[in-house]
Amino acid sequence: MQMGDAFPQGFQYLPGYFSEKDQRELVGLLREFVAEAPLFTPVMPRTGKEFSVRMTNLGDLGWVSDLKGYRYQAQHPVSGRNWPAIPEVLINLWQKVGHCAAPPEACLVNYYAATAKMGMHQDRDEKTFDAPVVSVSLGDAAIFKLGGVKRGGPTKSLRLQSGDVVVLGGDARLCYHGIDRIQGGSSSLLKDGGRLNLTLRRVSPI
Ligand code: MD6
Ligand code: FE
């Protein structure tokens, strides 16, 4: 990050946004959604290298990556079925923290086993950057890195715990970010351990 200790305008870190009860209810819903739209292992465009996270989506559109590229599509790439709907609790979160008139269209669900990571990236496959990306963390804690809008600059690290919410909006919308590591065994929320990260997005222009 370029400027001292300040987070960029439009970045929000809301630790403990969801209570333990809310978290358990959300995990219960996610178990049903994952039964309907199973986690799949995406591959990188061109190289075909597997991601270390497994993913699925909720909403009218879901983010997928395969040999042909990154894109949003209405169907699960393996089952060909539409994604389950985004539950009300997540629509409410978007309305409360997103400061966006239009509803989210996609909720990417990433599952990290203890050894998984996510390289530094920008979320820029959407057709609008006027809406924020709102993220929810569940399960094991993770070290989240936030950089600036240019690749390779200084970064700040945040330890995201279960129930925390992060928003990348405004000037922070296109900041690079990634997950350095998962702290395996740091939460007992998920019975098989690991971490879930949900990111709510708007894809179409508002
Ligand atoms: C993660 N998060 O927390 C990865 N993207 O596992 C993201 O990639 C992310 O937290 C956009 C906005 C907020 C995020
Ligand atoms: Fe991201």
Side-chain angles (χ1 to χ4, degrees), residues 25-136:
E25 286 175 5
L26 196 43
V27 170
L29 292 174
L30 291 165
R31 287 196 192 291
E32 293 176 28
F33 297 143
V34 167
E36 199 179 320
L39 292 165
F40 59 93
T41 302
V43 299
M44 292 294 292
R46 295 184 304 278
T47 63
K49 187 178 165 6
E50 289 188 345
F51 283 53
S52 65
V53 298
R54 292 193 295 146
M55 39 181 84
T56 189
N57 289 272
L58 310 175
D60 292 343
L61 291 170
W63 187 87
V64 300
S65 177
D66 63 17
L67 288 171
K68 289 180 281 181
Y70 305 134
R71 65 188 170 279
Y72 282 94
Q73 65 180 41
Q75 284 86 27
H76 189 287
V78 180
S79 73
R81 293 174 61 187
N82 289 345
W83 308 104
I86 300 173
E88 195 181 347
V89 57
L90 297 177
I91 302 284
N92 290 343
L93 168 69
W94 173 270
Q95 286 170 352
K96 290 211 172 78
V97 306
H99 310 296
C100 178
E105 296 170 289
C107 177
L108 173 62
V109 177
N110 281 157
Y111 175 72
Y112 296 74
T115 54
K117 322 163 176 272
M118 172 79 67
M120 293 296 281
H121 66 277
Q122 291 172 300
D123 287 33
R124 56 176 314 146
D125 298 319
E126 300 71 34
K127 293 194 194 90
T128 179
F129 303 135
D130 293 338
V133 179
V134 175
S135 116
V136 181

Side-chain angles (χ1 to χ4, degrees), residues 11 53 108 110 112 118-119 121-123 132-137 142 144 160 166-168 173 175 177-179 182 195-201:
F11 176 82
V53 298
L108 173 62
N110 281 157
Y112 296 74
M118 172 79 67
H121 66 277
Q122 291 172 300
D123 287 33
V133 179
V134 175
S135 116
V136 181
S137 294
F144 177 83
L160 297 184
V166 166
V167 182
L168 297 189
R173 176 63 181 76
C175 284
H177 57 279
I179 294 291
I182 302 296
R195 171 174 183 264
L196 285 166
N197 180 258
L198 317 177
T199 41
L200 294 158
R201 296 115 187 277

Side-chain angles (χ1 to χ4, degrees), residues 2-13:
Q2 288 87 352
M3 291 195 312
D5 278 327
F7 283 113
Q9 179 279 333
F11 176 82
Q12 297 180 66
Y13 165 51

